[in-house]
Amino acid sequence: MIKMKISDLGEKKLIKRIIANIRSHLKDFNIEGLGDDAALIDMGEEYIVATTDLLRQTSHFPEATTYEQMGWKSVTVNISDLAAMGAKPLGFLVSMGLPAHMRVEEFDELLGGILKACDHYRVPLIGGDTKEADEIILAGAAIGRTLKGEVLWKSGSEEGDLVGVTGQLGLAAAGIKILLSKMGEVPVAEDLLSRIMDHALKPRARLKESLLIAKSHLVNAATDITDGLVSELNELINASPRTIGIRLYEEKLPIPSEVEDIARFLNEDPLELGIYYGEDFELLFTLPPENVTPLRDQLDFHIIGEVTTTGTIEMVDKEGRTYILPVKGYEHLRG
Amino acid sequence: MIKMKISDLGEKKLIKRIIANIRSHLKDFNIEGLGDDAALIDMGEEYIVATTDLLRQTSHFPEATTYEQMGWKSVTVNISDLAAMGAKPLGFLVSMGLPAHMRVEEFDELLGGILKACDHYRVPLIGGDTKEADEIILAGAAIGRTLKGEVLWKSGSEEGDLVGVTGQLGLAAAGIKILLSKMGEVPVAEDLLSRIMDHALKPRARLKESLLIAKSHLVNAATDITDGLVSELNELINASPRTIGIRLYEEKLPIPSEVEDIARFLNEDPLELGIYYGEDFELLFTLPPENVTPLRDQLDFHIIGEVTTTGTIEMVDKEGRTYILPVKGYEHLRG
């Protein structure tokens, strides 16, 4: 008999396996949000919201990443999960694996990046642990709170809703691809390049926008798109109790022309960078058409598609042809 | 100039450096418990209590540890930090680094151990993350709650208090030393050996006892002794706003004779196993002499010494001679 390895399963399937395993374990507890971006603990009028996310140096940080950027990102990935639920952060904790040969000043940079990000999101660093490890490992956990009526679930999309996304797509991916290509001179203006690198190496979670969206009561479902737009659209589809689908319009996707230029230069598909690669810390949400204008008064966002009942993710390309997008993500455990 | 490495500092000093760094960062937040076993977030009538602790296969688990025991222990170390504060667990999260070649059934054992421990402590597993890593890394985080009047601080010891400890000392250390010695046949009865191995590989946090102690209002200070008794006594001394010391009595230490037998057989110092090695998940506390009897009505514990004003940890040996115990711990980052 051939024994299956977890790398044969992949990360998403492994998480599904975990969730299936813990459903019966959880039946005696008041826990909601299983399979959503963060878990919710029922505290009466509000929920305590909690999430954890682990980054390690060799697989999550391009070589050019500074220690400060590593620390910053470990906060951002966790805060983004709170933002995806509409939760206000209460505290951040980080367990660090650190190489024994790491210099004290390097450690101070790493901690400095964590503290700068915590200050940026107005969240206190409340706990930590340090252990020796072969490489830098940053296992963060974030705790937040939200009123019960203001949770941003993955599950609430309705047929006819429009699909919105904050910010632009593919900037982080373009930056990481530039770093990985090691091609040196990329034909991009200095200020744009530095903006792209900032997206790739020092991303900002859309916390303020998330709290605005949660308070507005104008959206039906939301998540973040750090695992890639298509992968997260698929999450919205899977979370819905009814069969829904999503139709995207290529011409509406906010992929900047500069991302397209960089993709061409690096021999990459710009659409791949924009909708599959992930690492853009933007929010994705669905809302009734009549809510678009009221929400636009509070927040910039792009409408990129609509909710259907097909069970699939369709793309209408720039020539008006419709095709079905395969669901694939960038999975760390896929061998 | 010679650059200092973090291994030159050691884990305790590194944590002190972190705490010094984050004091100014925290001044705008309502956070207490910095430097205690877990951090406290002010929620009005109660605190939310949070902690994180990272374990990795090669440095925290003897080779004989099963996957189930690894999972169990990752829960226990975090729950023990909540217990040390008198907090009732609300939820457990775990970020896992997993080798790609790990078999699915091995992963199921690991997750099974986590869930068994969660069931044992009546705490829901509410979140997780999985990433590929070279070895198993389990970064747990536990969230709890406690009423403001029932927090078990490290700082409240008073001169004349007696020093209490739950359970016995050195069992876990004896078990780990047996495993590391690889000497095969150790002259210990089968049932005792299995009890010792259980302490070493599948430790139980003293959660029930902690909640009893917190509700009793009979103790002045408390912590757990997972880093070793002397190291934790030193924490109580450092946390006190006044200069205090601790006097221990060797004959009162609950080090079982079997631990002494095993130590002799392995050429180890039994006192070293009992008061320095750590890994015993017991609670340490100080309380006024008149509170000993009322607390004994609710809980088994041993009185091992008293609180002094010397600023040091003294030991009165079995011949009545007093000497000062050096403060040392088993530190993971010490090179």
Side-chain angles (χ1 to χ4, degrees), chain A residues 257-276:
Chain A
S257 61
E258 294 86 351
V259 170
E260 292 179 1
D261 294 344
I262 293 166
R264 258 186 299 273
F265 178 75
L266 297 175
N267 253 326
E268 298 272 352
D269 176 2
L271 201 58
E272 186 86 12
L273 300 191
I275 69 176
Y276 281 112

Side-chain angles (χ1 to χ4, degrees), chain A residues 143-197:
Chain A
I143 303 167
R145 73 199 298 179
T146 173
L147 290 172
K148 281 194 172 171
E150 297 183 354
V151 180
L152 301 178
W153 302 100
K154 280 185 182 172
S155 56
S157 302
E158 298 276 353
E159 182 189 355
D161 277 0
L162 297 179
V163 179
V165 69
T166 59
Q168 296 177 304
L169 300 173
L171 284 172
I176 293 168
K177 290 288 184 185
I178 289 171
L179 289 172
L180 296 180
S181 77
K182 298 182 181 171
M183 286 183 67
E185 204 68 16
V186 181
V188 180
E190 192 68 38
D191 57 334
L192 179 70
L193 188 65
S194 104
R195 201 173 126 241
I196 284 173
M197 285 308 156

Side-chain angles (χ1 to χ4, degrees), chain B residues 254-324:
Chain B
I255 302 175
S257 61
E258 294 86 351
V259 169
E260 291 178 2
D261 295 344
I262 292 166
R264 258 188 298 276
F265 178 75
L266 297 176
N267 254 325
E268 299 271 353
D269 177 2
L271 200 60
E272 186 86 11
L273 300 191
I275 69 175
Y276 281 111
Y277 193 85
E279 297 293 318
D280 290 314
F281 282 75
E282 302 296 346
L283 296 173
L284 171 71
F285 48 90
T286 63
L287 76 177
E290 63 272 24
N291 289 357
V292 170
T293 305
L295 191 59
R296 272 216 211 283
D297 290 343
Q298 304 177 50
L299 180 80
D300 282 334
F301 62 92
H302 302 273
I303 293 295
I304 60 173
E306 65 221 10
V307 176
T308 66
T309 55
T310 61
T312 60
I313 304 172
E314 295 165 297
M315 175 74 96
V316 181
D317 73 11
K318 286 170 181 167
E319 281 75 43
R321 287 169 304 213
T322 301
Y323 62 101
I324 291 179

